[in-house]
Amino acid sequence: MPERPDYAALIAGQAIVIEMTNSGDSGLPVLGHQLKLFERALGAAGMSFAEYGPTGGRIVAATGAAEWTLGRPVDTSDPATARLVAGPRTASLPVRALDRALADQMAGRGLRRMLYARAELRGMVIGGLHAYFSDADGEAGTEHHTLMSYLATCVAHMYGDLAGLPVHGDGPAVAALADGLAIIDRDGLVRLWNPAAEQVTGLPATKVINQKLPFSIPPSGQVLDQRMPDGRWLKITSGELPGTFESRVVTFRDTTDQYRHDHDRDLFVAVTSHELRTPVTVIKGYADTLCNHWESLPEADRREAARVIGLRAGELARLVDRLLSAANDGVQVGGAAPVPFDLVDALRSAASTLPADLRRRLAVDLPDDLPKALGDRTSMATVLTELATNAEKYSNPGTPVEVTAEADERTVVFRVSDRGIGVRPDHVERAFDRFWQGEQGDRRRYPGTGLGLFLVRRIVERQNGWVSLRPRDGGGTVAEVRLPRG
């Protein structure tokens, strides 16, 4: 560990960050650039940032020797992680103090020590910033701890701006809190603002008293659902305040979670009806043609009609399976007990079942001596099908979809790469959300339900692995799946 941080590199790099934000960049691109800057300033071998939510955390940005952790889930209930979340603001510790599996993976890459800083916003823990070093015995000095605390504060301020962060919809900056209450006078000015109102809106009483409410007010006795500038939804009610001169009491609560639940339900119905319509229409059309014109159709046309019906029926079966799996979070997708299996054989077997057009584009380059993976072999067919289909959809016809694999000391990894339109840095995590689409509306160029990557992540993480997306050098996208070695 360097004796002192490189403050000159930090100052120069922050100027670039300011230029990025002034030009409209936000979210993960800026966070990723900051981590690279922090890595240079601290003299670290790698950096990562874990975003925490109510149900756990995830590595949403990583650089250098820690880049392989991108997308890895973080169990905030694990004793080692819990001590960091609840302990001192910064901590320096050997990686062997972490979860054993993670510690072994870190050590296998030459990382021996970690410097941690907790990122907090208004008393709420947003996430954890990690710096990794190869020197096992080098203890961090006061300057390193102070700088890490400052850097974590910088990241927390990004979350406070809500500019592309949090990455996940269940992030801590969008928490649902208790009812807020305000009393407004005849001029519409706030006279009372309770503590819950501060929590719901994030506005302290000192900024609201004697000001207009920061949202609309429904007529007395009615209810209004309003979206706030930061994306949250409030359910607002109002009524006359007895014993006063034209004063009103306004109550409001954060209904973002309920809105999302209702939105997901409506979206599920819309997506289901839209996506089922095309294959059903094609199957019915060809079936009617065969029934009504069997005798007059040439043999080649009958065979082609049967081929299309079979193809569309296969698509329909896969679509129904996706929809049913995604609709029921309790279904144990890929839930068999993990066992060692031959990943190369599983991938080759799965590739042979892909549609013919996709098989012709597939370039499979797998080593014969790849170590066994630990997981559920049968689920690899679903994982490869979804990733390869996704790669095919977003790349030009005729361009290859490449499947490669390798291993390190602790994990076995395979990648599905394309030379398509690529993925935006701020979409690499959102792409795994259920029903999320890069394009919205009826004029989307690329059809689909937005369920494939969602299911892939569920399957892989239930096998103690993780999956991530990243832009490919020269254009295109790389989907990477990591599983424990068997």
Side-chain angles (χ1 to χ4, degrees), residues 48 225 240 320 462:
S48 68
D225 292 312
E240 301 298 329
V320 170
R462 283 176 175 163

Side-chain angles (χ1 to χ4, degrees), residues 139-451:
E139 183 59 52
T142 302
E143 290 188 51
H144 285 83
H145 279 273
T146 303
L147 182 57
M148 275 292 287
S149 180
Y150 165 74
L151 300 179
T153 300
C154 290
V155 176
H157 279 305
M158 291 178 60
Y159 276 74
D161 293 337
L162 290 176
L165 298 168
V167 176
H168 300 98
D170 62 350
V174 204
L177 302 172
D179 287 7
L181 181 143
I183 294 177
I184 59 174
D185 61 19
R186 59 179 300 184
D187 298 319
L189 302 181
V190 177
R191 297 304 182 189
L192 183 145
W193 191 251
N194 76 336
E198 295 188 4
Q199 293 180 306
V200 172
T201 63
L203 297 172
T206 54
K207 290 189 176 181
V208 179
I209 296 296
N210 296 324
Q211 303 294 323
K212 296 283 188 178
L213 279 173
F215 45 76
S216 302
I217 308 173
S220 181
Q222 297 187 23
V223 179
L224 172 68
D225 292 312
Q226 181 172 337
R227 187 177 186 181
M228 302 298 286
D230 61 8
R232 293 178 302 117
W233 284 85
L234 297 185
K235 183 176 290 293
I236 308 163
T237 62
S238 77
E240 301 298 329
L241 186 62
T244 63
F245 181 65
E246 297 184 5
S247 292
R248 299 171 70 184
V249 58
V250 181
T251 60
F252 46 95
R253 66 174 57 183
D254 190 325
T255 57
T256 305
D257 288 345
Q258 182 62 45
Y259 174 83
R260 284 179 178 152
H261 180 272
D262 295 342
H263 177 72
D264 279 354
R265 180 197 59 203
D266 295 342
L267 188 58
F268 176 79
V269 173
V271 167
T272 302
S273 60
H274 179 271
E275 296 299 328
L276 291 177
R277 189 177 299 118
T278 298
V280 167
T281 300
V282 172
I283 291 172
K284 185 177 186 303
Y286 274 94
D288 288 346
T289 299
L290 289 176
C291 289
N292 298 329
H293 305 284
W294 179 269
E295 299 298 337
S296 61
L297 286 174
E299 177 67 17
D301 289 349
R302 291 200 293 263
R303 288 183 177 276
E304 174 62 15
R307 186 191 72 82
V308 173
I309 289 175
L311 179 65
R312 291 296 188 172
E315 293 176 0
L316 187 60
R318 287 193 294 272
L319 176 60
V320 170
D321 183 60
R322 282 197 203 102
L323 292 169
L324 292 177
S325 297
N328 187 357
D329 282 333
V331 174
Q332 289 293 313
V333 181
V339 295
F341 70 95
D342 187 335
L343 179 61
V344 169
D345 182 65
L347 292 175
R348 286 175 176 161
S349 176
S352 68
T353 65
L354 295 173
D357 291 343
L358 179 52
R359 288 202 307 271
R360 284 190 286 270
R361 295 180 58 178
L362 212 61
V364 180
D365 183 14
L366 302 174
D368 293 328
D369 59 347
L370 191 72
K372 288 188 176 182
L374 185 64
D376 175 22
R377 184 188 192 281
T378 59
S379 68
M380 290 301 104
T382 301
V383 172
L384 181 64
T385 298
E386 297 297 346
L387 295 181
T389 302
N390 209 54
E392 177 191 38
K393 182 169 66 173
Y394 292 106
S395 55
N396 293 326
T399 57
V401 174
E402 303 166 22
V403 181
T404 58
E406 64 181 25
D408 56 35
E409 291 186 2
R410 298 296 171 184
T411 61
V412 181
V413 55
F414 76 90
R415 301 180 181 92
V416 177
S417 310
D418 63 65
R419 288 293 183 185
I421 62 174
V423 57
R424 286 169 43 181
D426 54 330
H427 286 176
V428 294
E429 276 298 319
R430 296 191 66 194
F432 291 100
D433 291 346
R434 178 163 48 182
F435 299 126
W436 188 83
Q437 295 278 0
E439 296 179 311
Q440 305 296 328
D442 295 333
R443 297 188 178 183
R444 290 190 287 116
R445 292 171 293 170
Y446 306 101
T449 60
L451 291 174

